[in-house]
Amino acid sequence: MAGALRKIVVGRADVGISAYVAAGGAGTFTDAGYTRGPATIEDSTSDLEISAEQVLGKLSSVPIDKKVVVKFWMLEADLANLQKALRQPAGNLTGTPPNSSLAVGDPVEVYHQVQFVTKGIRGTSGGASATRTITFWRAAFGPMEPIGFPKDGEQIYGVTMSVMYDDSVATADKYYKEVDTGAT
């Protein structure tokens, strides 16, 4: 077996959030700040498996659904992060941190771009790692983990975002795109 140590990647991801921009345009990303635990991508597909009475095995497997979910835990418990996670209109957040106020009402339909920036593979065994940028074009915040107020820990906003199919993107990356740059 031929292995390539340069292709093993270890490292955290920085999370950025932007307002949604159509056609896979570059958003203006705001760093979500410190996070806890790994930022994760859950990419799954459901299939219709075709079978026949005459054979034991499956004849084909046809994709019928795709689901992409990203999760991360924000340690910076500012109201601007909470406003996005709770799907509140921008007008519900007033003031300037640390003197701000968030009015929480019914959630609204709002989409964001999300970006994970992390290490990629190296070009050579002694070279520098690439920077891997993963951009999710159209995502909506969903369920949040309970927000705790522990005496021996931090407040954490554990968020889940569902990545939507973006038909405004003219290329194949209707959900997201991963790009490695700068490896040597």
Side-chain angles (χ1 to χ4, degrees), residues 11-110:
R12 55 149 175 83
D14 292 325
V15 178
I17 303 169
S18 170
Y20 170 70
V21 179
T28 303
F29 289 91
T30 301
D31 191 333
Y34 287 117
T35 58
R36 166 75 47 87
T40 63
I41 304 167
E42 299 173 19
D43 192 320
S44 61
T45 303
S46 298
D47 295 290
L48 172 63
E49 293 185 336
I50 309 297
S51 58
E53 292 296 323
Q54 293 76 14
V55 296
L56 296 179
K58 300 296 181 193
L59 298 174
S60 62
S61 181
V62 179
I64 59 170
D65 190 31
K66 181 169 181 67
K67 184 175 184 180
V68 180
V69 174
V70 296
K71 294 182 180 180
F72 50 95
W73 293 262
M74 295 185 280
L75 273 174
E76 296 191 16
D78 69 350
L79 293 183
N81 281 343
L82 188 59
Q83 175 261 327
K84 292 178 189 84
L86 293 176
R87 300 173 76 171
Q88 295 299 299
N92 285 16
L93 178 63
T94 57
T96 304
N99 299 307
S100 51
S101 175
L102 176 63
V104 179
D106 287 337
V108 296
E109 180 181 10
V110 62

Side-chain angles (χ1 to χ4, degrees), residues 69-71 85-87 140-146 158-162:
V69 174
V70 296
K71 294 182 180 180
L86 293 176
R87 300 173 76 171
F141 280 94
M144 282 185 64
E145 298 288 326
V159 297
T160 300
M161 297 184 79
S162 295

